Amino acid sequence: MKYLFLNHKMNITVTELQEYKENLKNVNWKNLEVCIFPSFINISYLIKEKYKVGAQNVSSFESGSFTGEVSAKQLKSLKVSYCLVGHSERRYKFCEQETDIKEKIKELEKQNIIPVLCVGELQQEEKEEILKKQLSVIDQNPKELIIAYEPVYSIGTGVVLENEKIEETIDFIKEYVSKRYQKNFPVLYGGSVDENNIKQLKRIKNADGFLIGKASLTVEKIIKIVEEIR
Ligand code: PGA
């Protein structure tokens, strides 16, 4: 099963979504597990349109006086299937820590929403050490989980490593997780995936799919990507 996860980040208004949705009708998703991660404001519309939808964030708290937060229970009530956690933009722009991420995963698991744990190193960081630290948030007895490997310097920059380097890291993640937790989880690749480099990136042998940001905002680009990986 190939996963194709589309992360809109803080883009697309309610009005713009109408046209986006109309254009999406031209995509043939056959054989792919597709999930759109829109802004919170666009979640219910896409769910009504029968898309599988994920959230970009969730509160680490269960409920109560947390102005501006959205709980896992609330996401469940919208029928959200997946939720990103630990995205590098949350880690570095909103100072999210491993302790927060751990709590978020717990909240999601209680509601049977599958967490998509994003991990990845900064260019100057010791890769294996940082990945181990980021993967340590996984529960000792994990339920379902998806991991997205996104080198931080590849996100939104157009910088993409050679396939062999990405394969090496995905192997490391898979081996580490399976040894530590006795379970295997899908690992996606993300970071500047677009309609031009997908021909190369689809050859990454051990990636179970892609997490796509910028290119997911343009349906023509999605169509080209889907045609390559389907
Ligand atoms: P990008 O974003 O495709 O724009 O690099 C990927 C992501 O942040 O998940």
Side-chain angles (χ1 to χ4, degrees):
M1 162 75 74
K2 271 254 186 254
Y3 294 85
L4 183 66
F5 283 3
L6 308 174
N7 177 9
H8 286 176
K9 309 192 180 187
M10 199 173 70
N11 297 294
I12 305 191
T13 64
V14 168
T15 331
E16 289 164 347
L17 190 66
Q18 311 274 335
E19 194 188 333
Y20 183 87
K21 186 262 308 182
E22 279 310 307
N23 293 338
L24 274 191
K25 287 183 181 157
N26 302 319
V27 189
N28 177 358
W29 306 109
K30 215 171 129 202
N31 300 329
L32 294 172
E33 167 75 355
V34 176
C35 182
I36 305 176
F37 295 76
S39 290
F40 284 126
I41 59 155
N42 288 329
I43 289 180
S44 40
Y45 179 78
L46 287 173
I47 289 195
K48 279 197 199 104
E49 292 296 323
K50 307 267 183 283
Y51 284 98
K52 195 165 268 189
V53 176
Q56 297 175 17
N57 190 21
V58 65
S59 177
S60 50
F61 300 101
E62 190 171 331
S63 67
S65 306
F66 299 101
T67 303
E69 292 283 278
V70 175
S71 73
K73 195 173 172 190
Q74 290 175 314
L75 292 177
K76 189 66 189 179
S77 71
L78 284 173
K79 302 197 169 47
V80 157
S81 309
Y82 297 93
C83 181
L84 303 181
V85 287
H87 190 281
S88 69
E89 286 152 17
R90 303 276 344 150
R91 291 178 195 267
Y92 301 110
K93 295 182 181 171
F94 296 93
C95 305
E96 242 175 55
Q97 305 294 317
E98 260 76 39
T99 45
D100 306 311
I101 298 166
K102 215 174 168 151
E103 291 306 314
K104 289 180 182 206
I105 293 178
K106 272 194 203 149
E107 289 302 318
L108 293 169
E109 286 190 336
K110 277 196 238 162
Q111 301 299 332
N112 290 317
I113 296 173
I114 303 173
V116 181
L117 174 62
C118 304
V119 297
E121 77 286 6
L122 297 168
Q123 200 131 35
Q124 71 279 12
E125 277 175 332
E126 215 287 281
K127 187 167 63 188
E128 296 193 353
E129 284 317 302
I130 192 78
L131 290 174
K132 281 188 202 168
K133 184 166 164 259
Q134 293 175 338
L135 292 166
S136 72
V137 300
I138 301 174
D139 215 68
Q140 256 324 306
N141 193 10
K143 284 192 181 175
E144 250 185 297
L145 179 80
I146 293 183
I147 296 167
Y149 170 57
E150 306 194 291
V152 179
Y153 46 89
S154 288
I155 296 180
T157 58
V159 175
V160 179
L161 297 174
E162 289 156 12
N163 283 10
E164 293 69 35
K165 287 257 178 300
I166 299 171
E167 273 164 15
E168 235 174 68
T169 312
I170 293 183
D171 266 345
F172 171 80
I173 293 172
K174 287 190 170 182
E175 271 172 38
Y176 180 76
V177 169
S178 109
K179 267 202 200 116
R180 191 174 155 138
Y181 302 102
Q182 281 83 51
K183 275 200 179 166
N184 299 314
F185 298 111
V187 179
L188 318 186
Y189 171 75
S192 293
V193 179
D194 66 20
E195 73 287 7
N196 299 317
N197 58 29
I198 191 68
K199 280 191 179 62
Q200 172 208 325
L201 292 172
K202 75 173 181 187
R203 298 205 180 88
I204 299 173
K205 294 189 193 82
N206 49 7
D208 299 290
F210 298 97
L211 174 57
I212 303 180
K214 194 155 177 244
S216 76
L217 301 175
T218 313
V219 177
E220 293 73 38
K221 294 185 181 181
I222 300 178
I223 293 176
K224 286 187 184 153
I225 292 168
V226 166
E227 276 169 3
E228 286 295 332
I229 61 173
R230 201 160 25 87

